[in-house]
Amino acid sequence: MSAVVNSELARFSKEIAALGMKPLWERVMRLKPGTAARAAIWRWEDTRPLLLRACELITARQAERRVLMLENPALPGTTFITPTLYAGLQAILPGEIAPTHRHTPNALRFIMEGEGAYTAVDGGRIRMHPGDFVVTPGWSWHDHGNEGSAPVVWLDGLDTAFANLFGAHFREDYPEESQPASGPGGGSVLSYPYERTRAALEKLSRQGEPHPSHGWKLRYTDPATGRDPFPTVAAFMQRLPKGFAGRSWRSTDGAVCCVVEGGGRADIGTAHFEFAPHDVFAVPSWEIRRFTAASECLIFSYSDRAAQEALGFWREAEA
């Protein structure tokens, strides 16, 4: 373009800016797959001592929830591990209660260490054991307690970003620390015991060879509806046999992975992580990823795939 035309366009841009408009041809927004998030790992050998230190410094009542949030290094100030997902490590000591509240974001708990804790949802109380996956639907009253003799730690996963995006993030405290119990397994509690999940994976592994990229992988569903536990979030458990060398692939959902058993390596984009039990790592949208297993591995994960599928956005491809 000539200097005259460029000058006129510059003046035009300033003129329409005063009315809250911008020319599309000057857009600087991202118009390609993927997000600003980057692959990152939080190693259990680093996070566990910090959780125990937090237990010394602040009580569950003072903190309301004693949680160390896992914030993606490329998303500072957001509190999110991916642009759409929240992740945090919560610790509760024997005799403590995390007070009852409710919020519109949906929440999941994946138990990492310890016995004797429970989650109560709308009066229904269920025991939590390592490897269990527990669902807390949005706007359900919920509290946690530890009736055991040692600390219990779990991974919290929430779809907070969706509530924030729509301006629909509501929160409310219950008038009492604990809600009245309606009995074991009542209310809105939906729990997936680890022993049942592991048995299902064992059965699947006897039925055929592992998928070249995913190994043997199960997707959690609500038995009452056949759908994902949340309308926004899908959750999975996969098993990689010893010596597994996965094929590279990519998908548009951003994911959070928590190693349950075993060790191996995750190659995600240009990042390369050796992982061990209870490590948590983030897999950003559309990054090429490849898993290898030094020993038999079980990996729990959750992602925004449910929301993407509902909106018609989700896709995957071999890389």
Side-chain angles (χ1 to χ4, degrees), residues 147-189:
E147 298 176 333
S149 58
V152 176
V153 178
W154 62 82
L155 172 67
D156 285 325
L158 286 86
D159 58 359
T160 311
F162 289 95
N164 291 351
L165 175 65
F166 293 118
H169 192 156
F170 294 88
R171 186 188 177 286
E172 185 177 356
D173 291 320
Y174 196 73
E176 305 294 334
E177 187 174 58
S178 297
Q179 57 187 304
S182 63
S188 303
V189 181

